[in-house]
């Protein structure tokens, strides 16, 4: 039975949410699957990926072939690296401790990059909000400035003309 690691679509129309599953390649896209490996939410910025790396590595070692998008997700979360390091351990090029150390170092570096991106996005959002507030203040000031002379001239005409409105 050929097994694929692929995405299974869930969520509303226009708001996709995916499960990362190991499934028989002959089954339907949203049909029967063997195991749910994780989730992927592309609606957030950055995208939220929750993946059971050990389960994904187990399926890769058993010969499951990831689809292109699933391969990108597995690479992003480090499952492909862990599979690669496990191959080095089997061949005797590395010890298990060395492989764990390399994987943990990679995870720390990746976490730093993701945290930097999140901080950058938050900073950009705050700057955009500040610019919008300044623009809104400028528009309000312009409205007040345009409205102020009109109010003064109406007051002057009512004072000159007497009590015509009252």
């Amino acid at each position: 039975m050929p097994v694929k690691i692929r995405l299974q679509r869930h969520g509303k129309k226009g708001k996709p949410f995916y499960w990362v599953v190991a499934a028989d390649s002959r089954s339907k896209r949203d049909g029967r699957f063997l195991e749910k490996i994780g989730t992927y939410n592309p609606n957030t910025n950055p995208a939220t990926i929750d993946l059971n790396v050990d389960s994904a590595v187990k399926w890769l070692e058993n010969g499951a072939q990831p689809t292109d998008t699933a391969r990108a997700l597995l690479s992003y979360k480090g499952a492909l690296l862990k599979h690669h390091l496990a191959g080095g351990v089997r061949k005797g090029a590395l010890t298990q401790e060395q492989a764990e150390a390399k994987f943990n170092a990679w995870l720390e570096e990746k976490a730093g990059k993701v945290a930097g991106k999140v901080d950058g996005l938050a900073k950009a959002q705050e700057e955009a909000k500040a610019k919008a507030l300044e623009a809104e203040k400028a528009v309000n000031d312009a409205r007040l400035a345009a409205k102020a002379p009109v109010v003064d001239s109406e007051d002057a005409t009512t004072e000159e003309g007497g009590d015509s409105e009252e």
Side-chain angles (χ1 to χ4, degrees):
M1 170 172 63
V3 176
K4 289 245 183 223
I5 296 176
R6 63 183 182 197
L7 300 181
Q8 194 177 63
R9 187 183 165 126
H10 293 272
K12 295 174 14 176
K13 183 171 31 171
K15 298 275 189 189
F17 183 84
Y18 298 96
W19 287 359
V20 181
V21 297
D24 185 354
S25 63
R26 297 168 289 188
S27 64
K28 296 179 182 178
R29 177 194 73 178
D30 298 338
R32 193 171 180 185
F33 60 91
L34 301 169
E35 183 181 356
K36 180 179 172 184
I37 298 173
T39 60
Y40 168 55
N41 185 2
N43 298 318
T44 59
N45 191 8
T48 306
I49 304 169
D50 180 35
L51 188 71
N52 184 347
V53 176
D54 295 329
S55 181
V57 170
K58 179 191 77 162
W59 280 107
L60 289 171
E61 288 175 352
N62 287 333
Q65 295 296 314
T67 61
D68 292 339
T69 307
R71 180 179 299 277
L73 295 177
L74 294 174
S75 176
Y76 181 81
K77 292 306 270 187
L80 293 179
L81 175 65
K82 193 166 187 175
H83 176 62
H84 177 74
L85 293 172
V89 170
R90 277 193 307 275
K91 291 179 181 179
L94 296 169
T95 64
Q96 186 64 33
E97 293 78 25
Q98 290 173 331
E100 295 275 333
K102 283 187 176 188
F103 183 69
N104 289 333
W106 182 85
L107 279 179
E108 289 176 13
E109 181 182 338
K110 184 71 169 186
K113 288 181 182 178
V114 170
K117 181 176 182 181
V118 169
D119 292 342
L121 288 171
K123 189 175 183 181
Q125 189 176 17
E126 287 180 21
E127 288 176 0
K129 191 181 280 188
K131 282 184 180 180
L133 185 61
E134 289 176 17
E136 187 176 342
K137 283 182 180 179
V139 168
N140 288 342
D141 291 343
R143 282 186 188 154
L144 289 175
K147 196 173 185 181
V150 173
V151 172
D152 291 339
S153 64
E154 287 179 8
D155 289 341
T157 56
T158 56
E159 289 175 8
E160 291 174 7
D163 295 321
S164 61
E165 291 181 27
E166 293 179 14

